[in-house]
Amino acid sequence: MTGAGLLLDGLEVAGSGRSTVVRVTVDLGEDDHGTLDLDRVGDVTRAVSDALDAADVLPSAYTLEVGSPGAERPLTAARHWRRARGRTVVVRRVDGGALTGRLERVGDGDAPDLVVVPVTAPGKGRRPVEGEPVTLAWDDVRDARVQVDLAAVRDDEADDAGPRDGAGRG
């Protein structure tokens, strides 16, 4: 994957015989601020397919699926957290508590401290309210994932739409 500038994030082989499925999950490197577009995924698909065929490790036909971790990816490694800075995250803590907010800061190392700014939505038509930043130790996090924030997309689209008529309707 390094030839394509991507990291192997997961590998799964399921089924057997003609129903064998090889699932490869690739991700951008921590310092790669680009996007994982279809061209890069296509390059990886061709490289993995060629390597599997050359090694002849699968005795019969197989289906190869290559993709990304997805928009609401689980945050399981420090590099996942670093790429998610500025995004909304949902964190379940070891003590049973939960925290939803914007990931503001990720410390150095493989088990960094994390700073999340809690964000609550007070209701339709009102701006979200930010709380005081919460610092979490790596060991205090049971699991976490990125949450897609569609409200932010709608706000960006509204900003791009230009002025509205005087009645406040689009």
Side-chain angles (χ1 to χ4, degrees):
M1 301 310 143
T2 57
L6 301 174
L7 299 173
L8 177 63
D9 202 52
L11 175 64
E12 176 188 357
V13 179
S16 62
R18 292 200 170 279
S19 63
T20 300
V21 177
V22 178
R23 288 185 188 91
V24 177
T25 305
V26 293
D27 197 9
L28 298 170
E30 190 173 318
D31 297 327
D32 187 341
H33 300 290
T35 59
L36 187 51
D37 58 35
L38 291 177
D39 290 335
R40 292 174 84 175
V41 172
D43 292 343
V44 170
T45 302
R46 283 185 289 284
V48 170
S49 178
D50 291 347
L52 287 173
D53 291 346
D56 199 27
V57 293
L58 297 171
S60 61
Y62 62 90
T63 300
L64 175 61
E65 298 176 358
V66 177
S68 71
E72 291 190 344
R73 71 154 322 131
L75 302 170
T76 57
R79 69 182 171 80
H80 299 158
W81 287 90
R82 288 188 183 97
R83 286 200 44 82
R85 277 184 296 233
R87 309 252 333 256
T88 300
V89 295
V90 177
V91 180
R92 285 190 330 151
R93 301 169 73 160
V94 172
D95 66 9
L99 175 65
T100 300
R102 180 178 36 81
L103 181 60
E104 185 171 282
R105 198 168 44 242
V106 179
D108 294 328
D110 291 336
D113 284 344
L114 310 161
V115 178
V116 177
V117 176
V119 178
T120 57
K124 188 173 180 172
R126 299 178 122 175
R127 292 219 176 265
V129 176
E130 290 189 359
E132 291 296 317
V134 175
T135 300
L136 299 168
W138 184 260
D139 293 335
D140 291 339
V141 176
R142 173 175 289 149
D143 59 59
R145 67 178 48 251
V146 171
Q147 183 178 54
V148 174
D149 184 3
L150 295 177
V153 172
R154 286 191 300 272
D155 289 346
D156 287 346
E157 289 174 353
D159 290 345
D160 293 341
R164 308 258 189 233
D165 69 274
R169 293 182 297 270

